[in-house]
């Protein structure tokens, strides 16, 4: 894959809001800087140590995922032992270590939660909710999780499959027979599983007119999604379905619309009732966290020239199933714990269903809402996903064989955010697993 293609993937993933609100060159600048971590050591980043037990290994069929899912470039000199923080007013040694990383990368806030052996065992949060203001973040604050939403939508899909409302091989035409003759014929046989693994041929970039219309947000979220996905499906696939992996927010919007049609319930209400409530993810919601104009939760931020600009914005509801959830890191950790439990999920999902969610197509490394890579520190396969709506950055790492997960978040986007979160993840893995 060429540098230009990788830049395009970066733009589609974290540039959705930016495409409408911020200069293109700024995001491409981030992409070019990030690409240094994708290249071989002789071509890539200078002055940083590539940690072999964290960095994703090359895999056939992965394409631009090396950029999309964050190369973990970690300076060994900054790896610190982090412990739980009780409150920002009385910082522990762990919070102080987190603060060193936050300041190094000039992040408004930085937070982490660790799960080990079935419980939350470590947490810390440092920094401020809004740049230019003094209100501190807390370990209970809510962060926007971006494309980590995809793993939640995939889990919701599995719940409906086990409930008999659809099958792994249910097709788009099965759910939307009324669109035959309106959608491109190649989409008719695309299955829900192909959409979950980004192998349905759905383009990585939305149709221009449909994307502009989505920003108008006319109608209910369900109506907005239906109008949006009809526009997507009316155009030819980017590739023949089933032939290649194309990371696509549009594909997950189609999944959300399919679940809405089958259940008769809006995706937001459906995922709340079927997933968030059973997992006691009580802080979970959609769009920018907190009250607009208030500082009762963290704000997102973007870098504009040399200024960090606080914002309360998000992508339109049309693509909510791909990336519009917010929640506390404790609640995100509860979600990862669910995926670590296998046969102990409280009856929500069978072990074989979780295994299917965690198994990528042959030759690839993107399963159903999860990237799957082998890691020695994980004792086998590690699961990960990250997310950004250009104003936040969150990353999840799970090691099912070690019954371990770590989630890290900051309320700004860009390469500094990614590197800072990677350093925290590395520190936690070192602290809890390198024994």
């Amino acid at each position: 894959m060429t540098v230009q293609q990788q830049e395009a993937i970066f733009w589609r993933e974290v540039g959705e809001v930016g495409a409408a609100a911020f200069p293109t060159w700024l995001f491409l600048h981030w992409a070019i800087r990030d690409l240094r971590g994708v290249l071989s050591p002789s071509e890539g980043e200078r002055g940083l140590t590539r940690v072999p037990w964290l960095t994703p290994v090359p895999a056939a069929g992965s394409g631009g995922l090396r950029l999309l899912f964050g190369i973990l470039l970690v300076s060994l000199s900054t790896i610190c032992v982090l412990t739980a923080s009780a409150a920002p007013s009385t910082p522990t040694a762990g919070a102080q270590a987190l603060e060193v990383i936050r300041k190094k990368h000039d992040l408004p806030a930085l937070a982490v939660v660790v799960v080990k052996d079935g419980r939350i065992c470590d947490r810390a949060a440092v920094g401020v909710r809004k740049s230019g203001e003094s209100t501190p973040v807390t370990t209970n604050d809510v962060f926007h999780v971006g494309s980590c939403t995809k793993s939640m939508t995939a889990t919701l899909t599995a719940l409906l499959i086990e409930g008999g409302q659809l099958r792994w091989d249910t097709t788009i035409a099965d759910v939307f027979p009324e669109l035959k003759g309106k959608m491109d014929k190649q989409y008719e046989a695309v299955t829900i599983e192909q959409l979950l693994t980004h192998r349905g041929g759905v383009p990585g970039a939305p149709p221009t007119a449909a994307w502009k219309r989505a920003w108008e947000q006319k109608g209910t979220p369900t109506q907005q999604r239906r109008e949006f996905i009809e526009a997507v499906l009316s155009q030819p696939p980017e590739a023949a379905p089933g032939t290649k992996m194309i990371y696509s927010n549009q594909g997950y919007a189609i999944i959300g619309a399919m679940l809405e049609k089958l259940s008769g319930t809006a995706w937001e209400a459906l995922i709340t009732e079927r997933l968030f409530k059973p997992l006691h993810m009580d802080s979970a919601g959609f769009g920018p966290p907190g009250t607009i104009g208030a500082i009762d939760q963290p704000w997102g931020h973007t870098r504009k020239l040399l200024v960090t600009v606080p914002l309360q914005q998000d992508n339109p509801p049309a693509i909510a199933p791909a990336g519009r959830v917010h929640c506390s890191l404790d609640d995100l950790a509860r979600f990862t714990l669910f995926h670590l439990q296998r046969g102990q999920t409280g009856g929500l999902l069978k072990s074989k269903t979780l295994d299917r969610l965690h198994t990528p197509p042959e030759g690839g490394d993107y399963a159903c809402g999860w990237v799957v890579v082998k890691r020695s520190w994980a004792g086998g396969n590690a699961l990960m996903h990250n997310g950004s709506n250009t104003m936040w950055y969150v990353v999840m790492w799970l090691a099912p064989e070690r019954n371990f997960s770590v989630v890290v978040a900051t309320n700004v986007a860009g390469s500094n955010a990614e590197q800072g979160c990677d350093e925290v993840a590395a520190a936690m893995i070192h602290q809890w697993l390198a024994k």
Side-chain angles (χ1 to χ4, degrees):
M1 173 167 285
T2 67
V3 168
Q4 289 77 13
Q5 288 171 318
Q6 288 173 318
E7 287 179 1
I9 289 172
F10 177 90
W11 177 255
R12 288 196 295 265
E13 165 58 8
V14 303
E16 303 288 11
V17 171
F22 309 116
T24 301
W25 67 264
L26 178 63
F27 296 100
L28 292 180
H29 175 64
W30 289 344
I32 291 167
R33 288 193 298 178
D34 288 347
L35 283 170
R36 295 174 186 147
V38 181
L39 304 175
S40 66
S42 62
E43 299 171 297
E45 190 74 17
R46 307 290 191 225
L48 289 175
T49 302
R50 188 184 295 272
V51 180
W53 39 271
L54 276 175
T55 307
V57 296
S62 60
L65 289 173
R66 291 301 151 261
L67 175 59
L68 176 60
F69 294 108
I71 298 299
L72 298 184
L73 296 169
V74 183
S75 171
L76 293 179
S77 64
T78 65
I79 289 183
C80 310
V81 175
L82 305 179
T83 56
S85 173
S89 59
T90 56
T92 65
Q96 291 172 352
L98 198 67
E99 177 70 0
V100 170
I101 298 175
R102 185 194 72 80
K103 286 184 175 179
K104 173 186 174 183
H105 295 286
D106 190 25
L107 309 176
L110 188 59
V112 62
V113 173
V114 175
V115 169
K116 184 74 172 73
D117 297 329
R119 66 183 182 89
I120 292 175
C121 61
D122 213 344
R123 62 167 63 83
V126 296
V128 295
R129 289 176 172 173
K130 180 183 179 183
S131 180
E133 303 286 345
S134 61
T135 306
V137 292
T138 75
T139 53
N140 295 320
D141 276 357
V142 170
F143 287 79
H144 193 283
V145 305
S147 283
C148 294
T149 302
K150 291 181 175 68
S151 59
M152 300 173 185
T153 295
T155 305
L156 174 64
T157 303
L159 288 167
L160 268 63
I161 288 172
E162 284 200 355
Q165 291 175 273
L166 73 162
R167 306 177 309 277
W168 293 102
D169 62 354
T170 294
T171 67
I172 296 175
D174 289 337
V175 178
F176 299 118
E178 68 276 14
L179 294 184
K180 286 186 177 180
K182 297 180 181 178
M183 76 170 88
D184 187 284
K185 193 168 182 61
Q186 295 179 78
Y187 282 126
E188 292 182 5
V190 170
T191 69
I192 194 83
E193 190 166 24
Q194 286 177 316
L195 292 171
L196 289 168
T197 59
H198 296 295
R199 289 176 177 265
V202 183
T208 302
W211 186 235
K212 182 179 179 180
R213 172 74 173 170
W215 280 95
E216 297 174 4
Q217 300 186 30
K218 293 182 178 179
T220 66
T222 297
Q223 291 169 338
Q224 293 174 49
R225 272 186 287 278
R226 177 59 184 257
E227 179 180 352
F228 180 72
I229 68 111
E230 285 189 18
V232 172
L233 294 173
S234 70
Q235 300 187 8
E238 184 172 325
T243 61
K244 64 183 295 187
M245 188 272 185
I246 302 170
Y247 189 85
S248 177
N249 289 330
Q250 289 61 246
Y252 268 72
I254 295 170
I255 294 168
M258 292 173 72
L259 301 185
E260 289 176 324
K261 175 75 179 296
L262 292 167
S263 67
T265 305
W267 172 84
E268 289 85 354
L270 188 63
I271 199 167
T272 299
E273 289 298 320
R274 295 297 303 272
L275 185 64
F276 296 159
K277 285 187 177 179
L279 296 185
H280 301 286
M281 295 174 63
D282 299 330
S283 69
F286 312 96
T291 306
I292 298 299
I295 314 177
D296 51 356
Q297 288 293 343
W299 287 42
H301 296 78
T302 187
R303 311 283 195 195
K304 199 167 186 179
L305 299 178
L306 300 178
V307 179
T308 300
V309 181
L311 295 167
Q312 288 179 302
Q313 297 179 6
D314 200 3
N315 282 305
I319 62 166
R324 211 166 186 264
V325 167
H326 65 242
C327 64
S328 69
L329 290 200
D330 273 13
D331 281 352
L332 187 58
R334 290 185 180 95
F335 175 71
T336 68
L337 177 59
F338 174 79
H339 279 269
L340 293 173
Q341 289 180 315
R342 295 183 175 176
Q344 304 172 20
T345 61
L348 277 182
L349 280 181
K350 298 174 184 177
S351 179
K352 66 178 183 180
T353 304
L354 277 179
D355 287 342
R356 190 154 185 172
L357 286 172
H358 300 164
T359 303
E362 185 176 355
D365 61 6
Y366 196 101
C368 298
W370 295 101
V371 178
V372 184
V373 287
K374 287 194 177 295
R375 290 291 174 272
S376 58
W377 57 262
N381 284 338
L383 308 176
M384 71 86 63
H385 212 293
N386 68 358
S388 174
N389 70 347
T390 75
M391 290 163 282
W392 306 75
Y393 181 77
V394 173
V395 63
M396 309 181 287
W397 279 96
L398 288 68
E401 297 300 326
R402 304 293 296 275
N403 204 10
F404 169 89
S405 68
V406 57
V407 296
V408 191
T410 183
N411 54 342
V412 69
S415 59
N416 282 5
E418 295 162 17
Q419 291 175 18
C421 289
D422 289 346
E423 288 181 20
V424 176
M428 285 301 193
I429 290 168
H430 180 78
Q431 166 68 9
W432 290 97
L433 298 183
K435 297 180 180 179

